[in-house]
Amino acid sequence: MARKKIIEIVLDTETTGLDYTKEKMVEFAAVRLENGKIKDEFQTLINPQQHIRKSSIAIHGITEEMVQDAPTEEEIMPKILEFIGDYPIVAHNAIFDYSFLNEASIRTAGKELTNPRVDSQQMFKEVYPEMDSHGLEALTTKFDVELTNHHRAMADTMGLALAYPKLKKLYFQKYDWEVKQLENVEYLFERFLRIQQTVNTLQSELQDLKSVFKLYFEQGGEPITSQSGDILTYNSKQSFCYDFAEIKDVLNEVGAFEKAVKLNTGFIDRLVCGHSLDEEKREIIRNARQELTETRNIQIIRNK
């Protein structure tokens, strides 16, 4: 019996900015995978007919001069839509690329994309939740795929296309196991709560032990070496609170402002979606967006 052909489109885009409702693509690249093997590829620069933000140029290096003779969005989108067809779209942080493609399709073809969306970043997080980073570079490194010219569309597409089949195999091995557990989900939820309670108890005990160790050192105790060679020691570090209004000009002057201050992005999202700002200020904030991500989490509502 012939093996069923599974076709997927792995792709990447580079853009003028990060707000898909206002910015446009400047580069598109895609490869056609058939049962995990690269069979065809397509790439193009795109003239967005608008300004490319400096922050975006700093990432992908594509300038307005580089795209001035490239096809416009209206000229190239029919070819892009033909290449991707109705096949599943695979991308790293797929919501970003999908959103830009969808907006371009609406503008030029008058229709939304209906392609299934596969986010390799979410898959990577599922398979390797313990890793510090789940970016494309971390993924290709994990699967021994060379990633050169990172942040150009075809380079990133090829890197993902080579790593994705390996990731997909591991993901579906885990997924198959998870599906088999669905009939036991009520029991597993109870087990989850018991494990969580055990973890909380152990964390409380760890904190108690740390308090004993702290007291030991504060009374003059010497460092302790375990049988495995780990060393228990103690240090003290002082820190201060600062009046931000008084120091922000100095931080700006010495170029340390961005490093010293971390934005509360959740608060900014709520602010721009609320009703306390006028439209001009909302626009300024929307234009300052630097990355679009999607988070999916389970939530437990406690019985109080």
Side-chain angles (χ1 to χ4, degrees):
M1 183 175 177
R3 182 183 178 188
K4 181 181 178 181
K5 184 185 292 186
I6 298 175
I7 298 175
E8 296 164 297
I9 305 297
V10 180
L11 60 80
D12 183 61
T13 62
E14 304 300 339
T15 64
T16 60
L18 296 162
D19 186 345
Y20 66 88
T21 64
K22 298 183 181 300
E23 308 294 346
K24 293 183 178 180
M25 295 181 291
V26 295
E27 189 176 33
F28 172 86
V31 299
R32 174 187 172 112
L33 289 185
E34 294 184 9
N35 296 331
K37 303 294 184 182
I38 296 174
K39 294 298 182 179
D40 197 5
E41 63 183 68
F42 178 87
Q43 66 175 320
T44 181
L45 289 170
I46 304 171
N47 184 345
Q49 298 180 298
Q50 69 182 54
H51 176 65
I52 303 177
R53 296 183 180 278
K54 289 183 179 180
S55 57
S56 296
I57 295 175
I59 295 172
H60 52 57
I62 300 173
T63 65
E64 293 175 13
E65 290 74 22
M66 292 170 63
V67 298
Q68 64 182 358
D69 295 325
T72 64
E73 180 183 85
E74 188 174 356
E75 292 169 336
I76 200 63
M77 277 303 295
K79 295 180 181 179
I80 291 176
L81 293 175
E82 180 183 5
F83 188 85
I84 66 177
D86 59 358
Y87 301 116
I89 288 174
V90 181
H92 213 63
N93 188 25
I95 189 173
F96 179 85
D97 305 281
Y98 197 96
S99 297
F100 274 89
L101 281 169
N102 188 56
E103 287 294 313
S105 179
I106 293 171
R107 283 193 296 267
T108 60
K111 62 180 182 180
E112 295 185 352
L113 296 180
T114 58
N115 305 63
R117 189 177 76 211
V118 180
D119 190 343
S120 56
Q121 188 172 56
Q122 291 292 336
M123 295 170 67
F124 193 26
K125 289 178 180 179
E126 283 286 330
V127 175
Y128 294 103
E130 75 284 356
M131 292 190 64
D132 294 332
S133 170
H134 293 94
L136 179 59
E137 192 168 8
L139 172 65
T140 54
T141 299
K142 185 68 179 179
F143 290 105
D144 296 322
V145 172
E146 185 177 358
L147 181 62
T148 57
N149 207 14
H150 187 26
H151 292 306
R152 285 300 299 267
M154 183 50 79
D156 286 355
T157 296
M158 280 296 183
L160 179 56
L162 293 171
Y164 170 70
K166 303 174 185 178
L167 173 66
K168 182 180 178 181
K169 180 179 179 180
L170 294 178
Y171 176 82
F172 277 105
Q173 285 177 350
K174 182 178 181 181
Y175 179 77
D176 289 344
W177 174 84
E178 290 173 345
V179 168
K180 292 175 183 177
Q181 311 307 312
L182 290 180
E183 62 184 28
N184 302 317
V185 70
E186 292 182 0
Y187 163 74
L188 292 176
F189 180 46
E190 296 295 337
R191 177 169 170 77
F192 174 88
L193 293 175
R194 293 196 299 271
I195 292 174
Q196 189 176 63
Q197 181 59 49
T198 300
V199 170
N200 291 339
T201 300
L202 290 173
Q203 288 178 334
S204 178
E205 184 177 349
L206 283 173
Q207 191 57 51
D208 289 341
L209 292 173
K210 287 181 179 179
S211 296
V212 173
F213 298 151
K214 181 180 176 183
L215 181 61
Y216 165 78
F217 285 113
E218 288 179 348
Q219 293 189 356
E222 296 294 326
I224 301 172
T225 302
S226 71
Q227 293 181 357
S228 63
D230 297 328
I231 300 174
L232 177 67
T233 186
Y234 180 72
N235 61 72
S236 175
K237 181 180 179 181
Q238 295 181 335
S239 60
F240 298 90
C241 292
Y242 295 90
D243 186 326
F244 178 69
E246 292 189 12
I247 67 171
K248 64 179 182 179
D249 290 340
V250 174
L251 294 175
N252 260 324
E253 184 180 339
V254 299
F257 187 86
E258 292 185 3
K259 187 174 182 179
V261 179
K262 183 177 182 180
L263 281 180
N264 184 333
T265 55
F267 172 76
I268 299 296
D269 286 340
R270 293 191 296 273
L271 186 65
V272 77
C273 293
H275 302 287
S276 61
L277 298 179
D278 59 43
E279 186 56 32
E280 182 181 358
K281 291 184 174 63
R282 292 174 196 270
E283 183 69 8
I284 291 172
I285 293 177
R286 282 195 289 260
N287 287 338
R289 288 170 172 166
Q290 294 186 335
E291 185 177 6
L292 173 66
T293 59
E294 183 178 43
T295 302
R296 304 172 188 174
N297 292 309
I298 62 166
Q299 181 181 11
I300 296 175
I301 300 174
R302 294 295 181 183
N303 181 20
K304 298 181 179 179

